[in-house]
Amino acid sequence: MTRAPVLTFTDRGIYCPDGDFHIDPWRPVARALITHGHSDHARWGHGKYLCTHQALPVIRHRLGDITASGIAYGEARRIGSVTVSFHPAGHVPGSAQIRIERAGEVWVVSGDYKVEPDGLAEAFEPIRCHTFITECTFGLPVFRWQPQAQVMAEISAWWAANAAEGRISVLAGYSFGKAQRLIAGVAPQGPILTHGAVEEINQILRAQGYALPATTRVTAEVSAKSHPGALVIAPPSALGTPWLRRFGQPDEAFASGWMALRGIRRRRGLGNGFVVSDHADWQGLNDAISATGCESVFATHGYTTPFRRWLEEQGYNAGIVSTEYGEEAEETAEVTEP
Amino acid sequence: MKDFASLFTALDATTKTSAKLTALTDYFRTAPEPDRVWAAGLLSGRRPKRTVNATELRDWAAEAAGIPLWLFEESYAVAGDLAETIALVLPPAQNPQPAGLSDTLRLLTALAGRPAEERRAAILALWDQLDGAERFLFTKLITGGFRMGVSQGLMTRALAQATGVEEATLAHRLMGDWNPATTRFADLISEGDGSSAQPYPFALAAPLEDGPETLGPATDWRAEWKWDGIRGQLIHRPGAFALWSRGEELITDRFPEFATLADFLPPGTVIDGEVLAWDSTANRPLPFADLQKRIGRTTVPKKLLAEAPARMLAYDLLEAEGADLRAAPYDERRARLAALITALPAGLPLALSPALPFGDWPDLTAQRAEARAAMAEGVMLKRATSAYHVGRKRGDWWKWKLDPWSVDAVMIYAQAGHGRRANLFTDFTFAVRAGNELLPFTKAYSGLTDAEFTEITRWVGKNTLERFGPVRRVKPELVFEIAFEGIQESPRHKSGIALRFPRMARWRRDKSVDDIDTIDGLRDLLRVARG
Ligand SMILES: [Zn+2]
Ligand SMILES: [Zn+2]
């Protein structure tokens, strides 16, 4: 007797027929399980939302009046004839992989993930499964991250050098996740100023108990004079805008995984910066997949075609899920999110 | 390699000339001397001998990285640069070791002619000793296409600041045929001994866009045709006879008909002129295409010598009787040049580029309109009192071309056309150089023949790096002369400029991406357009 697979792929998103729910759907559905609060995963318009307790405040802040409930990491919950649980993905605070078990068969949807602990997001946990649906935003062997401590030391040295010259440092990163990771990871050596979009998330995460150092929102009174040698954390869209004028001639840098490639940096006009990604690098993806002990892998969200071929050559049954949190969406999101 | 990598990183991180100059000067003060020589060589376009080819590099790197070749190629398509792809896919260096630039390059050049297995082992060992920017640069030195966003002029200035030797002297020393592997730093920065075949830096003219009235009284100026050939410097010194191109290439052997001049020109003579393919029946130049046939050939078949014989039309006299004349006024140099050439027997492939006497500016404007009939591109204007400058110094020399609005640019994106040309790539995006980057500045889709579009379409098929829907990003290789009717500022464009009626004036098969114009050149035009 053949049954439908545990998860199917529909034009609304990943769907579980036996539990009648979708995961990170991109069109309105009755019941949505959400891996994390980034806008390409947590979208507006669903009937009911379920995500981790830790992810909920940011999602509520971004989506407004929604019907949503939280679940603890590791807590098993019966939905229809399947059991679901959420497990840390290490991507951003509150982010989760979602595990679905039906009669002993286990599928895991990775959401976005990063294997190296960053000291802020709940550290990634490998989950054993039969079928793993993995992102592969950086699924090519040219992507290899330095250990976080090393990159943070470089950023700290850059800030210190600018401060010594009396210049303001402006570091651009995605306002939820990347920004807070930078704030928490850089060596304290002066005031940290934040763009409003970043500070709003800071306040939410602080209220939840995440350990973030003190930051000051940039207001009309804040300038290079009032905060000499400061580090400004802002979303990428703030670079090159009049908003920055108050800081004189600041040194601007960009923090993104895409900074790893000179060509991409140039084509997207990213300028100078640091390679800091909230996604797994090539080695991280391969290690994570191997740690699940899975037989089948579906690749999504990235360089899916070569990544799938690579996985097949490694002996996995491999497929591709086309989703609308595909690479372009995420890239644009990373670069232009306000 | 570490100092050199730091220099590269510093240069790469800034677009400010002052910051680049500081970084270079520091390097020329502090790096070990043999490394300084190599840096000066690399930044003046010299390359280590190629001992490993791109296919070998790919194979060895993919194997060392533990990935199949197809995955390497996928990665290369995304990164867009072979050396960078290699540097990134290889595992971190297990055996990091400090190595000087010159030592590393010596190891590299010593691999010439060695069996593949030996070269492979040596390259893998070097990769395993270098990390990050050092590994990238080392590989870039092998693959070529090495560029640091530094003009030779800027490098020369930094070297002058670091050594206290005069810039013009250094510019002269850095010209021509010297080998960084065998040159000592002390020799590089000392005065030459005069017997060598070393050329002088070419004086260059700036484009005149506004018409000559802005230049003051017509009587202060001298005019001659701007020929469309190869600018060359003919040198006859004791024991040395050489012809150099403006690209500092020694092209003596490509034009054997000039050899006889060594018997007639007095030793200690240096002439600046234009090499042209000559139609002796009509007594005027053949089209540039005929000269082009000769450019690529180191040995010239007899038939071609007869079909496209070369002649030099002399512009200027830089050295006479062994004395450097460059500081003398133009009129004086011209008079000596004319006397020298008049004294030569008839039948030699050297003549004076004729002066265009003119009474006033309208007179010259009328003569310029006849340039095409004379097989010239326009006219040159030189101030009667001007010295022979090093490089481009605005104010004394102007080129006043027939179609003043044109730049050489490289194609970076291609898109299929519409209607009749739907199956051909006809819509292209072009870039000029901005520091060490290529900056897209215009699109153009007309001006070429169907045969040329067909050829380019085949080329695009083989040279696509990335696809964005219907648009292909292609290897920056094909150079075109883009002509246009006007230029204006445009904050909407990344380049900050917009062109009026851009079109492809011609496909410059004779030029490479190294020869394209810079955004600064375009901005100069903008200044001129604004008046
Ligand atoms: Zn995300
Ligand atoms: Zn995502």
Side-chain angles (χ1 to χ4, degrees), chain A residues 155-170:
Chain A
I155 295 176
S156 304
W158 166 77
W159 178 15
N162 282 333
E165 286 179 22
R167 287 179 98 187
I168 300 281
S169 307
V170 176

Side-chain angles (χ1 to χ4, degrees), chain B residues 234 236 240-241 256-267 344-345 348:
Chain B
L234 191 68
H236 185 214
F241 178 80
E257 50 264 81
F258 293 141
T260 173
L261 291 170
D263 302 332
F264 297 98
L265 288 173
L344 294 175
L348 291 177

Side-chain angles (χ1 to χ4, degrees), chain A residues 140-142 144 260-267 272 282 303 306 309-310 313, chain B residues 8 12-13 67-68 70-71 75 78 84 88-91 136 437 466 473 494:
Chain A
L140 285 175
V142 282
R144 188 192 304 273
L261 291 186
R262 295 163 54 80
I264 290 184
R265 230 160 77 192
R266 191 162 57 225
R267 287 201 296 286
N272 293 318
W282 169 256
Y303 296 103
R309 180 170 168 193
W310 162 256
E313 290 185 3
Chain B
F8 173 80
D12 200 36
I67 57 171
W70 68 262
L71 183 54
S75 303
V78 170
E84 185 180 7
L88 292 172
V89 300
L90 290 169
F136 167 62
E437 323 248 319
E466 213 174 344
R473 183 167 72 87
K494 195 176 162 205

